[in-house]
Amino acid sequence: MQTGLCKPPQRILAISFKKDAAKTLKDRVSSRCPAEQASRFDSFTFDAFAKSLLDRFLALAPNWCRPPRDYGIYFPSRDEWLDFLNGLDTPAELGGEAAAQALRLNQIEQWGPLPLEFGAPADIRAWVAGEWWKHCLNMPQARITFSMINRLAEAILTHNPGVSRALRLTYSHVFLDEFQDTTGPQYRLTRRAFHASNAVMTAVGDTKQRIMTWAGAESEIFDWFDEHFEAEREMLQMNHRSNARIVQIINDLVTEIEPDAVETICARADDDVPEDASEFWIFATDDEESEKIADFIEDEIAGGRSPDDFALLVRVRANEAEDRLQPFFADRDIRLRNEARSIAGTAIQELLADEVVNLILGFIRLALGVRGQEVYRPVQEIIGAILGTDFESPRDVKRLDERSRQIVGFLKQETAAPPADTNMEALVNGVIEAIEERPLRRIFRQYEDDRYFRQILSSLSEFMTESAAEVDDWRTLIDAVEGKGQVRLMTVHKSKGLEYHTVIFVGLHQNAFWAYQRNQDEETNAFFVALSRARERVYFTQSRESGGTARIRGLVELLEAADVPAVEFADGD
């Protein structure tokens, strides 16, 4: 953008694996570029990109598998899948019931490429796929999975060259983040969209952080990219995040995993390093583990650190970890925020990465008198997009300012009463009405799913109501909703792309890494991801009550090889 290589009206497309990573990229571009430039940067997840294509060109999808415009997103359970299979009258000539029962859901969702016409099925997989599409589309409200959306988006590009050509003319540059976790269907869609185009393609990733093979991440994905896009590989050796000690641990671990790996260089080699930059804490019981973690953070906060500086990472089951840790944090008046906790059907981390949520919270901050480009610019960009603002036109900019003042004026009235006395649902709906719902949903295609849009608004209203019961003023309320002044708790998967001053990996034991014996590479990569989130310090904890380490001895040996000291805590230490 800033160099002018992407000339108006062309745009840059960034595709990330996680929603919050996509938001972070968008926020970083917005903070560094003028509004006109930032408005030409599109940041999606793979799912959101596929859905945007489907929603925009729905009428061009093959008729036999085309959902209605009000389709819903389907997350079928194992029982629902089995019920579907059990209800089939499977043709004997294709293998009968036994052949159908052997198929997995992902094999059917990913069946394709989707033809324009669904003819006589050639095998049992094609036949079951056809029945599955009928089943999903004939529900009282048609529902399809994100994998099916991906296949529909690919079909639209395949059967409609004009759409493919328009997409290629739109984007001069395409950036693929966390590329090591890309699945086969996601890659096929990307290839269909941009192979042999003039777009500058950049894929960034680290095979040591591949932790999504269970979800279909392809181990040969970089080789495919090299071949199909004639890419040149460049090693990014410089680590700008972590201090020298943590980079040293990273290099020691990598050497154990890949003896021929290129060493990472610490960009902060001259910075001071804490004496206790990394330790492995071992406890007899869960309560001792939780108490030590809470005491440690309490002491750090007393010494001047902010709760935001800390992240507690777990391999799995963040809700169970919250139940175990929360009483000890509450006793010390430290807020622990479980990013996986569901509010009216939406995880907190997903909710706070949502565009309309951030728009509403941004307007509330403006109504409270908070100023600064980090608040005003994102709001300005979205309202400008809704109004079709030409930022070079004084008339358009005046209209934008008038609409913004109208919304801020409404919120000043709504926030005159204390938060606990405010109907948050009415406030949220009032902002949407003032913004104008229809153009908002046109700008953000994911909101064309009405049920999803209503769920997001409901989740925000409920979260604000819940938070209002614990605060006295509106600024503190918005800080609480956004997670300011809170210690984060999340799974390793949800931590990708994030960084914290101090990371504590809670639960380094074999019951957390239950799949280690079956898939050592991916479990070791998860361990590596946790380590690489830390800027200054990283700690690992084990409670023997929760599990031993005999079956994950390889992970413990990695810490030993990196000279990470093990510290045994007796009761009362």
Side-chain angles (χ1 to χ4, degrees), residues 69-104:
R69 190 157 289 282
D70 65 346
Y71 69 88
I73 304 299
Y74 191 20
F75 300 95
S77 66
R78 175 175 171 78
D79 287 344
E80 288 175 308
W81 171 244
L82 293 177
D83 287 344
F84 163 75
L85 288 177
N86 291 333
L88 294 176
D89 184 12
T90 313
E93 63 271 18
L94 294 178
E97 182 179 352
Q101 292 285 340
L103 292 169
R104 299 188 304 274

Side-chain angles (χ1 to χ4, degrees), residues 247-268:
V247 171
Q248 176 198 337
I249 298 171
I250 289 172
N251 281 326
D252 288 344
L253 264 62
V254 170
T255 299
E256 292 294 319
I257 299 168
E258 299 179 10
D260 297 328
V262 177
E263 186 173 274
T264 297
I265 300 171
C266 179
R268 301 173 48 207

Side-chain angles (χ1 to χ4, degrees), residues 291-304:
E291 185 173 24
K292 167 61 180 178
I293 292 170
D295 282 342
F296 172 78
I297 293 177
E298 181 183 36
D299 290 344
E300 290 290 312
I301 292 172

